[in-house]
Amino acid sequence: MINTSTYEVPCLFGKTFFQKDISVSVPGSKSITNRALLLAMLAEGRSTLEGALFSDDSRHFLSCLDALGFETFSDEENCRMEVLGLDGRIPLNEASLYVGSAGTAARFLTACLGVQNGTFHMDASGQMRKRPMAPLLASLQELGCGITYEGKEGCFPFTLNGHGFGKNKISIDIDSSSQFLSALLIAAGMAPSDFTIHVQGSHGMAYIEMTRKMMRQFGVSSTKMPDGSFVVPAGQHYRALSYRVEPDVSAACYFYAMAALLGISVTVKGVREDSLQGDVLFLRVLEKMGCFVSKNKDGLCLCGPKNQSLKGITVDMSACSDQAITLCAIAPFADGPTTITGIGHIRHQESDRIGAMVKNLGAMGISCKEHNDGLTIYPGAPKPTHIETFDDHRLAMGFSLTGLRAPGIVINNPACCRKTFENYFEVLEEAIRQIV
């Protein structure tokens, strides 16, 4: 059992590796699990999700479905969830929901409930109360939803007084979160007439494509127009499915980065090149740093450079921004500076992630330069320090990698990983046991 207050990462620098080809299993995708839960809620009939992720985020999503009156079933041991959907109808026309820190639950449920007929009281954790919601809420108000704020305008907590779709077109600014567009696309599947969404901003399009592909799998198609807007034709219905959730590529990337750092080969079971998840592009980033990717019968395998020497690169991470911290954590060991661009929006996620990276790199004695939309990290020898995680799971998991090559790296509040990967450090230690 991992200490819930601090975790000192086992440093492997200078150790002999007895096994250089290992395999790792990671839980189901958070992004896919939560999208599938919403689509199952809107479908007609009983959907079964196999390989689903059980974490703080997905449990909050499930509890919200229960609060809305849906029939659900959970089997955590077998990673299985069931939802009985009612073809877009919500069982209760008034309910109180608590989404915790789950951004997907916060944005997706807000959009879908905002176009229903009913009154829904929405609240969230202190962390989620600080995260952007205003663009989505403004769009819902344009559609006729009444919103009463109980605190700061544009933030949780608030009450939605939905009156259906008052218009058949809307605009949304996704500069701070692509989830706003994903949420409106899914909700548009219930519109009584063809629904058009005009988009401002362009980051996170890999997540938008994931949403559109999953909508198609559940029976609702959308069209991307030449001007960048999206149209969801009327007359479609979400259908219940038996759905297999992919392994979480975001989680897999920590172990691929481990391979890059240590010059070993890691296969993450079930990860495929044609994954719905945009973070599979992080493997291309690691290839630019000198790694090699191949396929085998179990999944994708990444082999790190034999001399453990990574190349410094400049890369736009807008398509896989969750991995910016992962790249930042291994960048000190590269042979030159690494510059990450296209990630300005991550200042508004679970933490100010750019600011948090700069602070933790500085605490390790690593030189870096902060930019508006990213940062540059210079090579160096990280010194012992405590990593401040700001209750952000990505910081805890990402900076654990630094400790594999530098002694004395201690992760504060490792339990924050329960948001998406609650046994991450146990899986990390199992991976270490395979090689030493």
Side-chain angles (χ1 to χ4, degrees):
M1 179 67 68
I2 299 300
N3 188 321
T4 57
S5 58
T6 60
Y7 175 80
E8 183 166 354
V9 182
C11 180
L12 304 182
F13 183 74
K15 292 195 175 183
T16 300
F17 298 158
F18 298 105
Q19 173 66 39
K20 289 205 168 188
D21 300 287
I22 68 171
S23 61
V24 175
S25 295
V26 298
S29 164
K30 176 198 78 169
S31 297
I32 293 178
T33 296
N34 284 355
R35 281 167 173 78
L37 281 172
L38 183 69
L39 293 164
M41 177 189 100
L42 300 176
E44 183 174 13
R46 185 177 301 277
S47 292
T48 301
L49 312 186
E50 304 285 354
L53 171 70
F54 282 90
S55 67
D56 274 5
D57 277 15
S58 59
R59 292 187 188 102
H60 280 305
F61 210 124
L62 277 167
S63 70
C64 287
L65 298 189
D66 291 337
L68 289 167
F70 285 97
E71 180 185 323
T72 67
F73 172 78
S74 302
D75 180 356
E76 293 205 15
E77 184 176 351
N78 293 300
C79 303
R80 187 167 177 265
M81 301 175 180
E82 293 182 10
V83 178
L84 180 60
L86 301 174
D87 195 20
R89 184 173 63 84
I90 306 298
L92 301 176
N93 60 14
E94 183 169 3
S96 295
L97 278 65
Y98 180 77
V99 300
S101 296
T104 44
R107 279 72 180 256
F108 293 178
L109 286 167
T110 293
C112 287
L113 295 176
V115 296
Q116 295 284 336
N117 287 291
T119 301
F120 305 100
H121 310 282
M122 312 290 293
D123 202 358
S125 68
Q127 184 187 73
M128 189 65 221
R129 286 185 178 194
K130 298 175 184 177
R131 293 178 66 185
M133 286 292 293
L136 177 61
L137 294 168
S139 291
L140 291 175
Q141 285 177 309
E142 281 191 52
L143 292 176
C145 180
I147 301 176
T148 304
Y149 294 105
E150 298 166 32
K152 182 180 177 182
E153 185 170 337
C155 300
F156 283 95
F158 51 81
T159 296
L160 302 170
N161 290 287
H163 304 285
F165 289 86
K167 296 171 62 177
N168 64 358
K169 62 179 62 176
I170 198 68
S171 295
I172 185 67
D173 185 337
I174 63 170
D175 275 341
S176 56
S177 178
S178 65
Q179 290 176 353
F180 301 153
L181 176 54
S182 283
L184 289 171
L185 280 166
I186 294 172
M190 301 182 289
S193 59
D194 295 358
F195 195 85
T196 301
I197 306 173
H198 295 283
V199 183
Q200 301 169 42
S202 60
H203 94 268
M205 283 298 160
Y207 287 99
I208 302 306
E209 289 309 304
M210 175 198 295
T211 298
R212 295 179 65 213
K213 288 174 183 176
M214 289 187 66
M215 287 171 62
R216 281 199 300 273
Q217 290 170 337
F218 278 82
V220 173
S221 64
S222 62
T223 301
K224 186 173 184 180
M225 307 304 289
D227 66 356
S229 64
F230 293 86
V231 176
V232 181
Q236 304 182 85
H237 296 271
Y238 293 110
R239 62 173 183 266
L241 291 179
S242 178
Y243 193 86
R244 169 63 61 174
V245 176
E246 294 180 3
D248 194 318
V249 176
S250 298
C253 286
Y254 302 115
F255 298 97
Y256 288 133
M258 175 184 181
L261 270 184
L262 303 180
I264 62 173
S265 295
V266 172
T267 297
V268 183
K269 295 177 183 177
V271 175
R272 307 188 311 270
E273 283 182 311
D274 63 350
S275 169
L276 293 171
Q277 301 165 72
D279 276 8
V280 74
L281 295 174
F282 185 63
L283 276 71
R284 305 284 83 82
V285 175
L286 294 176
E287 283 183 318
K288 291 179 181 179
M289 299 184 83
C291 302
F292 178 75
V293 177
S294 61
K295 292 185 288 187
N296 59 40
K297 62 181 178 61
D298 293 324
L300 290 183
C301 174
L302 185 133
C303 181
K306 298 303 180 186
N307 60 0
Q308 299 184 19
S309 178
L310 298 168
K311 298 175 184 176
I313 60 173
T314 295
V315 60
D316 182 336
M317 295 282 285
S318 58
C320 52
S321 60
D322 274 352
Q323 298 311 316
I325 295 169
T326 313
L327 179 55
C328 164
I330 67 175
F333 305 102
D335 62 4
T338 294
T339 297
I340 305 170
T341 66
I343 58 169
H345 63 282
I346 73 172
R347 297 181 187 277
H348 308 292
Q349 295 187 308
E350 283 86 340
S351 65
D352 171 0
R353 287 179 170 170
I354 294 178
M357 286 188 276
V358 170
K359 178 175 181 177
N360 282 307
L361 288 168
M364 291 188 288
I366 299 298
S367 296
C368 64
K369 183 182 294 183
E370 183 174 352
H371 313 298
N372 286 338
D373 72 337
L375 71 166
T376 298
I377 304 107
Y378 297 91
K383 66 182 183 182
T385 193
H386 281 243
I387 298 296
E388 179 56 61
T389 57
F390 300 96
D391 202 27
D392 188 334
H393 57 135
R394 299 280 173 221
L395 290 165
M397 292 185 282
F399 277 108
S400 70
L401 298 166
T402 311
L404 297 175
R405 284 269 297 264
I409 301 299
V410 178
I411 308 298
N412 289 342
N413 186 24
C416 67
C417 294
R418 64 183 178 268
K419 177 176 170 64
T420 55
F421 193 170
E422 56 193 9
N423 65 331
Y424 167 75
F425 288 101
E426 286 87 347
V427 176
L428 178 64
E429 290 190 347
E430 174 55 34
I432 291 171
R433 283 193 289 271
Q434 292 185 58
I435 62 174
V436 297

